[in-house]
Amino acid sequence: MSRRQRNRLLDVALHGAGLTATLLGLVVLAVLLFDIFSDGFGRISWDFLTSFPSRRAENAGIYAALLGTVWVITLTALLAVPIGVAAAIYLEEYGGRGRWSRVVEINITNLAGVPSVIYGLLGLGLFVRTLALGRSVIAGAATLALVALPVVILSSREALRAVSPALREASYALGATKWQTIWHQVLPVAFPGILTGLILALSRTIGETAPLITMGALTYVPFAPDGIWSAFTVVPIQVFNWVSRPQEAFLANAAAGIIVLLALLLVMNGFAAWLRDRYQQ
Amino acid sequence: MVSMSKRNRQVLLTPTRLRRGLQCATLVGSLVGLAACGGGAEDGGTAAPAVVAVDGSSTVFPIAEAVAEEFQLIDPAARVTVGVSGTGGGFKKFCAGEIDISNGSRPIRAVEIEACAAAGIEFIELPVAYDGIAVVVHPDNEWATTLTPEDLKMMWGPEAQGTVTSWNQVRPDWPDSELHLFGPGVDSGTFDYFTQAINGEEGASRGDFTSSEDDNVLVQGVATDPHGLGFFGYAYYEANRDRLKLLALDDGDETNGAGAIAPSPESVRDGTYQPLSRPVFIYVNPEALARPEVSGFVNFFISDGGPLAREVGYVPLSDAEYALVQQRLDARVTGTMYGHGNEMASLTELLGDGH
């Protein structure tokens, strides 16, 4: 076999391996989706979306949990985005490259790897008890904001770092201050990247159950949140509860709940993608 | 500067646009802030909705949910919320004064009573239903139909760990095939009760069995393993009758029914399914009972909870026992009925004693 033939063979093999790896992920996703849709699609109806939880599987609905999730994730975004982006700007633009900034960086990276249930304990101690926010929507959102923050900060830093130094230098050369450069030049260019990081962080956060259960989110809530002080539950907790019920009919509800959560996620991501494209044009 | 931003306009997000976006975000943020202040002011006022906060055991959750659902129809103004933080977690919140009612799948423990006392919080202990613990095997298992508590102890005792590994070690006439055990996680009230009743000490058990906090996993495990044996709440057997074989228990005591008795709503309620049936409780804060919505909910729980408990797979108390529980509630009897070696006594005895 000539060297050329061997290289071509290697090329084909690598192509095949890459394709298999890609398909593997897709096949798992397809199996998962098929399983969930075959179990739960029949349960999706207007009634399911607008009913409160019930002991009878056929009467039970996702309304309170769905609105709870929307409330919590919206507040989480409002808390995590300004803080996360501001922290990223400080670390990337002002923080320098000294020992201090390395320590902070390592700690934030570590925080991104802390199991989310730990944040639930922190939320219970800090928000629910010490700050006396109770087991309210705002306490849940603050807890989830802690879960999301490290990812938001890290991805925002990456996005800021990817902005060409030439752009910054050109801005300085024209006499702009540091703040003017960040605000008028760097942030607009980094915006799509920051947005992508936010989508990833919030998509992960919306499916979190453990920290919310730990901080004391409820399971049976027969009303939609009517403010940030309201008691609440979220879709993953409702799904978790249905899965653990003895009666099989609740399993269909759980699958339907997962479909609703997936749909919500898709809407969120679609909105963010639309926003990104708008700003990128 | 001006000319530069003009040049950028085609390619990038313009400063004005970004600024408008941020202003918008700030507006939303301040709205939330306003809502926060409004909510905070309202919290202390009289306009707060009448919430009955219930939390605790996952075993009792379906009953509490059913009662809350029906109570809502009678009293639409009351808002009953139910959390699931486990029996122990529920007592922690109860003794911190965070909730009105704590669900327990076992009686309150001495340390929990101390914690409540330290916080100055009293409790009224009210049994609301029975839960039978079903012992099941695979439907293809032809040899096992009845068990004695001694058989179970042989399988589950701490000393069985690593030594009792096949069926014929329990009874010589059973086959020489591997024994696969499935049981609830060590944090569950079902595990606590089973170990107390069978091994004589709460929490004492072998550790080498397949355990899961999710009873459906245990059902799945036994239903697919011809050599398996497991235990969990009767409701989970009832929902999976065709996939499991239920075993009868013979406790050797003729006074509570002769021979081997399988769990059923009747045998659990009349106390002949022994020793694996247990009451489940709600613990009520007497101070919270002063609020009409809490008092209404608890009274409804005792008066109408029986059929609802049955509907979700549990066994109601007898009418006479509900009457005794109602008396206990009306008389605001605080403290626990348990704690002097009477863990296995029947409810009628305990309630009748007037502890």
Side-chain angles (χ1 to χ4, degrees):
Chain A
M1 210 191 319
S2 77
R3 189 191 188 121
R4 194 177 158 175
Q5 274 174 321
R6 204 166 56 232
N7 278 343
R8 180 155 299 163
L9 205 68
L10 208 66
D11 212 24
V12 171
L14 198 67
H15 179 216
L19 189 67
T20 317
T22 313
L23 285 182
L24 200 69
L26 284 178
V27 165
V28 170
L29 181 68
V31 169
L32 191 75
L33 286 181
F34 175 77
D35 188 48
I36 289 166
F37 271 81
S38 63
D39 284 348
F41 195 68
R43 267 301 278 138
I44 302 269
S45 65
W46 188 246
D47 272 350
F48 182 73
L49 293 177
T50 55
S51 295
F52 291 108
S54 166
R55 68 182 179 284
R56 298 195 186 96
E58 66 277 12
N59 293 348
I62 197 91
Y63 185 67
L66 182 59
L67 282 179
T69 287
V70 170
W71 267 89
V72 169
I73 206 69
T74 308
L75 281 175
T76 302
L78 288 177
L79 289 171
V81 170
I83 300 175
V85 173
I89 289 174
Y90 171 78
L91 290 171
E92 202 53 38
E93 306 290 336
Y94 293 94
R97 286 277 165 275
R99 172 186 288 263
W100 158 246
S101 112
R102 273 212 310 282
V103 169
V104 171
E105 179 164 352
I106 288 172
N107 276 295
I108 290 178
T109 317
N110 273 345
L111 279 180
V114 169
S116 57
V117 66
I118 307 290
Y119 289 105
L121 287 171
L122 180 61
L124 178 66
L126 184 63
F127 301 126
V128 177
R129 300 220 162 119
T130 310
L131 297 181
L133 297 179
R135 298 189 280 168
S136 57
V137 172
I138 188 69
T143 307
L144 286 189
L146 290 181
V147 177
L149 261 180
V151 182
V152 172
I153 295 174
L154 289 175
S155 61
S156 300
R157 283 191 71 180
E158 288 300 323
L160 290 171
R161 201 173 297 166
V163 175
S164 156
L167 193 68
R168 291 190 178 89
E169 279 155 19
S171 181
Y172 291 141
L174 287 168
T177 62
K178 188 152 193 166
W179 171 243
Q180 283 172 324
T181 303
I182 294 171
W183 187 248
H184 294 291
Q185 309 304 332
V186 177
L187 266 187
V189 177
F191 185 69
I194 293 178
L195 207 56
T196 307
L198 292 181
I199 297 172
L200 286 176
L202 292 179
S203 302
R204 182 195 152 190
T205 314
I206 202 174
E208 285 288 356
T209 321
L212 289 179
I213 287 186
T214 314
M215 63 72 58
L218 298 161
T219 302
Y220 175 81
V221 180
F223 50 88
D226 51 9
I228 63 169
W229 299 102
S230 180
F232 73 102
T233 187
V234 291
V235 177
I237 294 183
Q238 183 65 70
V239 167
F240 179 65
N241 176 256
W242 279 336
V243 165
S244 65
R245 299 294 276 263
Q247 293 81 13
E248 201 158 341
F250 280 108
L251 294 182
N253 284 6
I258 293 170
I259 296 174
V260 170
L261 191 63
L262 282 175
L264 183 64
L265 206 62
L266 217 61
V267 169
M268 251 174 62
N269 289 358
F271 177 69
W274 172 78
L275 208 63
R276 189 177 54 197
D277 290 348
R278 233 179 82 111
Y279 282 136
Q280 249 172 344
Q281 59 184 290
Chain B
M1 265 325 282
V2 175
S3 66
M4 208 180 118
S5 49
K6 257 186 194 153
R7 209 178 309 143
N8 279 346
R9 193 150 287 169
Q10 288 89 35
V11 257
L12 302 168
L13 163 61
T14 64
T16 18
R17 240 181 188 175
L18 181 67
R19 208 174 299 135
R20 208 174 292 147
L22 285 177
Q23 275 165 353
C24 198
T26 325
L27 189 69
V28 175
S30 47
L31 274 179
V32 168
L34 274 178
C37 307
E42 203 181 57
D43 225 16
T46 47
V51 172
V52 182
V54 187
D55 209 318
S57 162
S58 59
T59 306
V60 188
F61 174 82
I63 310 177
E65 181 191 52
V67 175
E69 189 185 350
E70 286 302 305
F71 183 66
Q72 212 86 48
L73 301 177
I74 298 174
D75 186 356
R79 292 173 151 193
V80 183
T81 63
V82 189
V84 176
S85 40
T87 302
F91 282 132
K92 278 207 188 84
K93 289 180 175 140
F94 184 84
C95 299
E98 293 172 5
I99 54 174
D100 304 313
I101 297 167
S102 183
N103 296 328
S105 64
R106 55 160 173 80
I108 191 168
R109 288 184 179 140
V111 283
E112 292 159 344
I113 295 174
E114 281 164 26
C116 268
I121 287 179
E122 290 188 302
F123 58 86
I124 304 175
E125 181 180 62
L126 303 171
V128 289
Y130 288 109
D131 183 23
I133 299 176
V135 182
V136 298
V137 291
H138 190 269
D140 290 348
N141 180 324
E142 282 161 5
W143 58 92
T145 45
T146 68
L147 286 173
T148 63
E150 291 71 38
D151 292 335
L152 280 173
K153 190 175 184 186
M154 183 103 81
M155 295 179 195
W156 287 94
E159 56 284 349
Q161 176 144 349
T163 58
V164 179
T165 53
S166 75
W167 281 88
N168 65 355
Q169 283 174 283
V170 183
R171 285 194 199 171
D173 53 328
W174 283 349
D176 178 17
S177 55
E178 276 183 39
L179 173 65
H180 298 156
L181 294 171
F182 297 83
V186 295
D187 288 331
S188 85
T190 310
F191 178 84
D192 285 345
Y193 192 86
F194 182 89
T195 47
Q196 167 83 49
I198 298 299
N199 298 333
E201 189 192 333
E202 198 175 277
S205 161
R206 71 192 293 170
D208 53 344
F209 64 94
T210 308
S211 91
S212 172
E213 298 295 340
D214 182 353
D215 290 339
N216 281 320
V217 172
L218 303 177
V219 169
Q220 193 66 27
V222 178
T224 54
D225 185 342
H227 305 301
L229 177 141
F231 70 89
F232 37 73
Y234 179 72
Y236 287 85
Y237 164 73
E238 207 168 46
N240 297 281
R241 280 172 184 282
D242 44 338
R243 304 161 67 201
L244 300 166
K245 178 182 168 187
L246 187 62
L247 299 185
L249 285 188
D250 184 355
D251 67 348
D253 181 356
E254 302 284 313
T255 59
N256 60 16
I261 292 166
S264 69
E266 294 71 35
S267 68
V268 168
R269 187 198 323 213
D270 63 21
T272 51
Y273 180 65
Q274 288 293 341
L276 290 182
S277 73
R278 54 163 177 172
V280 295
F281 309 85
I282 58 172
Y283 286 78
V284 185
N285 185 333
E287 271 176 40
L289 268 183
R291 282 158 38 210
E293 66 274 11
V294 177
S295 142
F297 177 71
V298 175
N299 276 291
F300 182 75
F301 210 130
I302 305 306
S303 62
D304 290 63
L308 293 170
R310 185 68 210 101
E311 197 182 327
V312 293
Y314 294 82
V315 179
L317 312 184
S318 69
D319 290 346
E321 284 166 339
Y322 276 122
L324 289 170
V325 174
Q326 184 70 49
Q327 280 175 22
R328 193 175 172 83
L329 172 62
D330 293 343
R332 303 280 193 272
V333 180
T334 58
T336 179
M337 306 179 283
Y338 297 88
H340 16 271
N342 58 355
E343 281 74 17
M344 308 300 294
S346 82
L347 275 186
T348 310
E349 284 166 34
L350 289 167
L351 289 163
D353 269 3
H355 277 294

